[in-house]
Amino acid sequence: MTRPTAKGWCPGAHRPMPSGDGLLVRVRPHLGRLTEEQVLRLCEAALRHGSGLIDLTSRSNLQLRGITPARHEPLLQDLHQLGLLDADPAVEVRRNVLCAPLWRDGDETACLAEELTQRLSELPELPAKFGFAVDAGRQRSLVNASADIRIERGTNGGLILRAEGAERGQAVTAESAISAAIALAEWFVRTGGLVKVRMARHLHHRRLPLEMQQEHPAQSADALIPGPLVCDAFDAAAVYGVQFGRIPAARLMALMDRSGAHALRVTPWRLFLLEGARAVDVAPFVTAPDDPLLAVDACPGAPACASATVDTRAVARALAGRVKGRLHVSGCAKGCARPHSAETTLVGSEGCFDLVREGCAWDAPERSGLLPAALVGGTECL
Ligand code: SF4
């Protein structure tokens, strides 16, 4: 089965998306980094204008939840003062630039991401979900993160530009990489890619020019895990897991204070990194790499999302550690929390769950009508 059609746009700060609990206002931090002051004042804004809940998205963005229409404009003013708002809504829509989280000042990842951000106006009109990944560290870290055009490391140690879905990329230099990325975006549009929306889908129907598929990408780095981070980019740092990607603003303020952090970096893996921080226990943040909740994906479900009829996260919490392999609990067949296969997927439907094995939320279920109470209580075995 194919995935149900997503809305043709993504929420931003200027153009928030209505949800079951109010407006969703998305913030896209530059290079995925916020200073201590930005973090604290963003948390205050989330509490003052909304529900005080902030979602960490799979594209390293932050989403403030529960904003009422009357508080949207005051929130924009706060974001502007914090340097977290693009003055031009058109630039905000285009700024889909994912950055490898362990960049250092002046390294190729930081410089290329900055240059791409400055040259966004040179890109053709692209689908709202079309994005770029700048992943120029010694090893690639964004392999499993969503992107359509990637600047990354090749097997010979140089930079390559690679279209998502292609096994190989084109050799580029730090000087030529962004111009080549713009040219690849133009090729996507010129060859009819807008119909397919995403690069990987387009490449099922259209062959890339040979010069764009010469070099294999380098190996990928070990995944970040919660706990103290030993890395030459920082004197001290700690990584924290975020259950279901949801950050309670008041708890994050407490964590910033207790850990001694001076900046926060977002990642696309429901983890964030605190620069200059000790690893301290502040609930609900995860500091143990083997925490069973890290193997579970669950969208907001009911009542936060109007498309859901089930409380996804209550079921996900109850089943964490009781199901072998990856568990995905989805409020409906759209599968927002995990657009990939999982060993076990539960899909909400009319107050019950369907069960999909080794598939996605939109695939055909092998069982239907599972009662949430029976799943939580353990009387229904998966
Ligand atoms: S998957 Fe979840 S968040 Fe996405 S539309 Fe369905 S219920 Fe809402």
Side-chain angles (χ1 to χ4, degrees):
M1 287 170 75
T2 53
R3 190 180 184 190
T5 315
K7 285 187 172 69
W9 55 281
C10 296
H14 290 284
R15 193 181 177 196
M17 182 181 277
S19 190
D21 57 351
L23 298 176
L24 285 182
V25 174
R26 183 170 290 180
V27 176
R28 303 178 184 202
H30 279 272
L31 298 181
R33 181 179 189 269
L34 298 104
T35 63
E36 179 186 8
E37 191 195 353
Q38 285 177 317
V39 175
L40 296 177
R41 290 182 54 196
L42 184 69
C43 288
E44 286 167 6
L47 289 161
R48 186 163 55 249
H49 304 301
S51 62
L53 296 173
I54 302 173
D55 285 342
L56 178 54
T57 77
S58 60
R59 290 200 176 180
S60 294
N61 295 315
L62 295 166
Q63 246 166 218
L64 276 59
R65 298 198 72 96
I67 310 297
T68 61
R71 303 307 302 171
H72 181 222
E73 189 55 39
L75 172 60
L76 290 186
Q77 287 169 16
D78 284 354
L79 295 178
H80 172 68
Q81 283 178 1
L82 283 172
L84 292 173
L85 183 69
D86 292 294
D88 182 350
V91 172
E92 180 194 37
V93 169
R94 284 167 172 250
R95 198 160 57 78
N96 271 333
V97 181
L98 193 56
C99 190
L102 300 186
W103 57 267
R104 286 193 277 187
D105 278 340
D107 72 5
E108 285 183 323
T109 294
C111 292
L112 290 168
E114 293 278 17
E115 183 185 344
L116 179 55
T117 302
Q118 282 161 15
R119 297 179 62 185
L120 288 176
S121 62
E122 296 177 43
L123 288 169
E125 284 295 324
L126 291 164
K129 294 186 182 300
F130 196 95
F132 297 79
V134 183
D135 193 8
R138 281 197 294 270
Q139 292 180 309
R140 299 179 305 147
S141 67
L142 296 177
V143 178
N144 296 320
S146 173
D148 296 272
I149 294 180
R150 298 173 182 276
I151 298 169
E152 55 192 10
R153 198 58 61 185
T155 43
N156 71 357
L159 291 172
I160 63 169
L161 175 79
R162 187 169 64 87
E164 178 70 3
E167 283 184 15
R168 285 168 292 180
Q170 166 189 1
V172 290
T173 64
E175 291 71 34
S176 67
I178 301 304
S179 295
I182 293 168
L184 180 52
E186 285 167 345
W187 174 86
F188 172 81
V189 172
R190 195 171 59 246
T191 55
L194 294 181
V195 177
K196 299 295 173 191
V197 180
R198 302 301 303 268
M199 180 68 86
R201 252 181 264 152
H202 185 48
L203 293 192
H204 288 315
H205 304 271
R206 187 82 191 204
R207 199 182 285 259
L208 269 177
L210 277 180
E211 65 270 20
M212 289 186 184
Q213 33 179 339
Q214 299 161 337
E215 263 197 56
H216 285 282
Q219 286 199 327
S220 42
D222 291 338
L224 276 186
I225 53 171
L229 178 68
V230 179
C231 156
D232 54 10
F234 313 103
D235 290 337
V239 176
Y240 290 87
V242 185
Q243 297 176 11
F244 310 127
R246 176 145 304 174
I247 299 171
R251 303 306 299 158
L252 180 56
M253 293 170 85
L255 177 62
M256 293 296 289
D257 180 44
R258 287 196 43 205
S259 67
H262 57 71
L264 181 152
R265 294 191 187 198
V266 285
T267 81
W269 312 294
R270 297 205 314 264
L271 303 168
F272 61 78
L273 184 160
L274 294 185
E275 294 179 29
R278 299 179 297 278
V280 295
D281 284 328
V282 173
F285 303 110
V286 174
T287 51
D290 56 354
D291 189 301
L293 277 170
L294 294 178
V296 183
D297 302 287
C299 73
C305 178
S307 300
T309 56
V310 287
D311 183 347
T312 46
R313 289 182 177 170
V315 171
R317 265 198 192 85
L319 293 181
R322 280 166 45 192
V323 176
K324 208 167 158 211
R326 192 100 209 151
L327 168 67
H328 176 196
V329 185
S330 185
C332 75
K334 213 188 261 182
C336 296
R338 186 175 174 84
H340 317 287
S341 173
E343 279 85 350
T344 305
T345 300
L346 290 167
V347 187
S349 175
E350 297 178 9
C352 294
F353 283 97
D354 296 340
L355 170 64
V356 177
R357 297 258 190 227
E358 304 290 346
C360 299
W362 50 88
D363 287 334
E366 72 171 43
R367 289 167 66 193
S368 294
L370 306 180
L371 293 170
L375 290 165
V376 171
T379 52
E380 183 72 72
C381 295
L382 297 177

